[in-house]
Amino acid sequence: MQPLLEVRGLTKSFGGVAALSDGRFTLQPGSVHALCGGNGAGKSTFLTIVMGIQQRDSGTIRVKGRDVTFARPSDALDAGISIIEQELSPVPAMSVAENIYLGREPVGLLGRVDFRRMNRDAQALLDQLHFNISARRLMMDLTVAELQLVEIAKALSYNAEIIIMDEPTSALGEAEADQLFAAVARLKEQGKGIIYVSHRLSEIFGIADTYTVFRDGRFIDSGAVADVTRDRLIEMIVGRPLTEEFAKTNTPTDETVFTLRGLNTAGWVRDVSLDLRRGEIVALYGLMGSGRSEIFERLFGLGSDEGGEITLFGERVHLSTPKEAIDRGLAFVTEDRKGSGLNLMASVRDNICMARLDELSPLGVMRRRREVSAAAQMIEAFGIRTPNDRIDVSGLSGGNQQKVVLGKWFLTQPKILLLDEPTRGVDVGAKREIYRVMSEFAQGGGAVIMVSSETDEVLGMADRVVVMRDGRVSGEVARKDMSAAALLHLAA
C-alpha cells in the first residue's frame, strides 16, 4: 500500500541551532499515527515544515509517492493536508461559520458572500461531528473547549486526506474528547490518514495504530502501538526511565486552612461548599461546563460576589480583586497559560516578576538587581530551560512556559495554590516536575486545589476529590475510595 506521506532526513536550524536534524515519518491510509516527543523534541518544527509554514533546510517530503515542496500553507491545503493547531487563532468578532470558512466563503450573486449557504454548510458539518454548537454564535461567546471544537471542524471542512491533529483535546473535557475520537474513527473508515500529537499517553494507546518518537530533534523509533509498553514509550520520549509517573509525597494534616460555604458565582454555580486542609491536594473534578473554573475565578476576585462565605486561616474574608487574593496568600494558575497566564511579548524575567512589581519597584522605580535575583531564583528552582532571562517567553517550550507561570506565583510566597489544568500541553517529563512541585508545596505546609480533565492525574495526585455536576457539588470521594468509575458516576 502506497503511503499517504513519507518524510526522510528532514532538517531545520535557526541561527545555527538545530531544531530538527533527522525527521522521519511514514503515514499509511486509514490509520492514526501518533507523533510522540517531549517539549522541544522537534515535533512542531516538523509539522510546520510539512504544512509549508516554514521551509526545510534539507530532506524529502512525498505525498502519495510524489515529491513535494510547499512554499506556503495554501500549497499544503491544495495537496490535501490540513492541520488542527494547538494554539487557537479565532477571529473573535466573527461567527462560527465565518471562522470555519474564512478566506473561502461561498459566493452568490454579484460576488457577495452567501451567508445563508455558509451558515447551512457549517451547521451541517458541526451536526455531522456531533458538536453541539450553533454556526451563528460569535466566537467571542464560546468557551475554550468550544473554540477547540470549532478549530477541529474547520480543519475537517477542507476534506483533506492527511489531517494533522496537534494536541486536539488539550482544552476538551472527556465527553467532548469522546466526540472527537468518534470523528477520528469515521475518518479512518474513509481512508484518511491522521497524524496525532498528544502528551496524553492514554489517548495514544486508545486511538493510535502506529507511533514515531522524536527526541532532541532526531528520529528515535517507530512501530505499532500494540507492540510497545507505556513504560518503554515514556523512556524513549524522556530519554531515561521514569521510576514513577506521579511524584506524590505529601501527607494531609487535620488543620483546616480554607473553607467555602454556599458559594455562588455570576454563572450557574450554586451552593458550593468544601474544606481544604494544610498539606492536602484536593481535586475539583467534573465534565466541561460543570462549573470548576468559575469557582477559581470567583475565589481569585475575578467574579462578582453572588453570595457565600470564604474563610482563610480562621478569618472570614471578602476577595473582590486579584490583589486581595494575592495578599491573602492565594495564587491562581489559569487553564490558558498563553491567554491569561503569560505576556507572550515580554521576557522570561518580566513574566516571573509580574505578580510582585509592588515589592520589586518601590515608589515606582524598578530595582533591577532585585528583579534579576528574583528571576534567577525561580529559574533555578523550577529548572526552567532558557538561554537567558531576557528571551521572550514565547520562545520557550510549553513545559518551560508553564514553569515560568509557576515561578511567577511562587515568587509571591503563596499559601494556597489554585491550579486549573496545570499540566495541559506539557510532556511527561515536565508533568512529573509539576507533580513534584505540587507535592513539595503541600508537604511544606501549603495546600492545593486543582482542576484537571485527566482522570489518571486526579487519581494519581489527589488526596480527596470534590465532584461537580451542573454547577453544584454532586459528591466527594476519599483517596482510598477513588476509581475512574466512581468519579464518572458522580460527574455524569
Side-chain angles (χ1 to χ4, degrees):
M1 183 183 299
Q2 185 180 66
L4 286 175
L5 177 69
E6 290 179 276
V7 180
R8 293 290 179 269
L10 211 61
T11 69
K12 180 67 177 180
S13 295
F14 299 95
V17 178
L20 191 64
S21 53
D22 182 20
R24 300 183 233 163
F25 195 88
T26 302
L27 178 66
Q28 298 291 348
S31 71
V32 177
H33 193 131
L35 178 57
C36 308
N39 296 116
K43 305 188 305 298
S44 295
T45 301
F46 174 85
L47 296 178
T48 56
I49 293 172
V50 170
M51 277 303 301
I53 298 170
Q54 295 182 133
Q55 301 305 303
R56 62 187 182 268
D57 294 337
S58 63
T60 61
I61 302 175
R62 292 181 180 176
V63 175
K64 299 169 67 172
R66 182 174 60 89
D67 285 359
V68 296
T69 298
F70 300 141
R72 57 190 66 85
S74 59
D75 294 341
L77 290 170
D78 292 341
I81 306 175
S82 66
I83 185 170
I84 300 165
E85 296 188 84
Q86 180 179 358
E87 304 304 332
L88 306 181
S89 53
V91 182
M94 286 187 171
S95 71
V96 168
E98 289 171 313
N99 271 264
I100 289 176
Y101 291 105
L102 187 63
R104 52 197 178 97
E105 299 85 353
V107 176
L109 294 175
L110 304 177
R112 294 180 177 178
V113 175
D114 188 341
F115 285 99
R116 179 177 297 180
R117 177 183 163 195
M118 182 170 64
N119 289 330
R120 184 183 66 241
D121 291 350
Q123 194 63 59
L125 175 63
L126 292 164
D127 292 343
Q128 177 187 352
L129 294 169
H130 304 289
F131 295 168
N132 187 27
I133 300 173
S134 169
R136 298 176 181 271
R137 287 180 66 188
L138 293 179
M139 297 293 280
M140 67 176 67
D141 295 332
L142 302 185
T143 65
V144 174
E146 288 171 331
L147 291 174
Q148 182 73 72
L149 293 178
V150 172
E151 192 71 21
I152 291 167
K154 179 178 180 179
L156 299 183
S157 72
Y158 288 96
N159 197 30
E161 292 187 75
I162 299 169
I163 302 162
I164 301 169
M165 297 186 173
D166 190 0
E167 297 284 355
T169 64
S170 63
L172 302 183
E174 293 189 10
E176 294 72 33
D178 287 342
Q179 294 174 10
L180 171 65
F181 299 151
V184 167
R186 291 193 293 271
L187 293 170
K188 282 179 60 177
E189 292 173 358
Q190 297 169 17
K192 312 285 190 183
I194 296 162
I195 302 175
Y196 195 88
V197 179
S198 177
H199 291 306
R200 298 180 177 180
L201 298 184
S202 59
E203 292 181 2
I204 291 171
F205 282 96
I207 68 169
D209 304 296
T210 51
Y211 71 89
T212 291
V213 176
F214 283 3
R215 189 173 72 243
D216 298 329
R218 292 184 174 276
F219 170 88
I220 299 299
D221 190 29
S222 186
V225 170
D227 296 335
V228 68
T229 65
R230 183 186 182 95
D231 287 346
R232 175 58 183 153
L233 188 59
I234 291 174
E235 184 176 348
M236 286 190 288
I237 292 171
V238 179
R240 65 185 188 281
L242 279 185
T243 54
E244 55 180 314
E245 189 171 349
F246 299 103
K248 184 169 176 61
T249 58
N250 65 295
T251 303
T253 69
D254 294 330
E255 180 189 354
T256 299
V257 296
F258 178 70
T259 62
L260 297 181
R261 292 292 179 266
L263 189 78
N264 302 321
T265 74
W268 63 330
V269 174
R270 289 292 178 267
D271 196 27
V272 171
S273 298
L274 64 86
D275 298 313
L276 180 66
R277 296 187 291 270
R278 189 182 299 277
E280 187 178 33
I281 298 175
V282 169
L284 277 179
Y285 183 80
L287 303 180
M288 186 185 77
S290 61
R292 306 167 304 170
S293 297
E294 289 82 354
I295 293 173
F296 277 4
E297 291 172 0
R298 170 67 188 88
L299 294 179
F300 207 64
L302 295 170
S304 59
D305 186 349
E306 300 292 327
E309 296 182 4
I310 303 172
T311 303
L312 281 171
F313 306 101
E315 180 183 355
R316 185 174 174 182
V317 298
H318 295 278
L319 304 175
S320 56
T321 67
K323 185 179 187 309
E324 290 177 355
I326 294 170
D327 291 343
R328 291 286 185 175
L330 270 63
F332 179 24
V333 175
T334 62
E335 63 175 328
D336 181 10
R337 64 173 172 267
K338 295 196 175 183
S340 55
L342 296 169
N343 178 354
L344 295 178
M345 303 301 291
S347 69
V348 172
R349 185 201 302 173
D350 291 342
N351 273 276
I352 289 176
C353 297
M354 192 179 299
R356 283 287 71 163
L357 292 179
D358 53 345
E359 291 184 3
L360 298 173
S361 55
L363 303 178
V365 179
M366 177 60 72
R367 300 290 178 87
R368 290 300 176 189
R369 184 175 297 179
R370 190 181 300 179
E371 180 193 28
V372 171
S373 175
Q377 179 186 350
M378 292 298 108
I379 289 171
E380 181 180 358
F382 288 93
I384 300 169
R385 297 180 61 182
T386 178
N388 56 69
D389 67 0
R390 298 310 296 159
I391 188 174
D392 283 354
V393 76
S394 59
L396 302 187
S397 67
N400 282 297
Q401 287 180 346
Q402 190 71 340
K403 291 177 183 179
V404 170
V405 175
L406 288 167
K408 173 182 72 174
W409 288 117
F410 268 75
L411 196 61
T412 68
Q413 298 181 322
K415 299 173 183 176
I416 295 173
L417 289 180
L418 307 178
L419 306 179
D420 196 350
E421 303 287 359
T423 64
R424 172 172 289 164
V426 304
D427 63 66
V428 290
K431 279 186 177 183
R432 192 182 186 283
E433 285 299 302
I434 292 172
Y435 298 148
R436 178 188 60 79
V437 168
M438 292 167 58
S439 284
E440 291 182 355
F441 176 77
Q443 189 66 24
V448 179
I449 307 177
M450 76 169 183
V451 166
S452 176
S453 298
E454 296 191 45
T455 306
D456 289 346
E457 185 169 85
V458 171
L459 296 176
M461 291 304 298
D463 298 300
R464 190 160 44 92
V465 182
V466 175
V467 183
M468 299 287 298
R469 183 175 64 207
D470 297 332
R472 296 176 180 270
V473 174
S474 61
E476 186 175 299
V477 184
R479 185 166 181 81
K480 63 182 178 61
D481 300 320
M482 284 183 205
S483 68
L487 298 184
L488 289 172
H489 174 72
L490 290 169

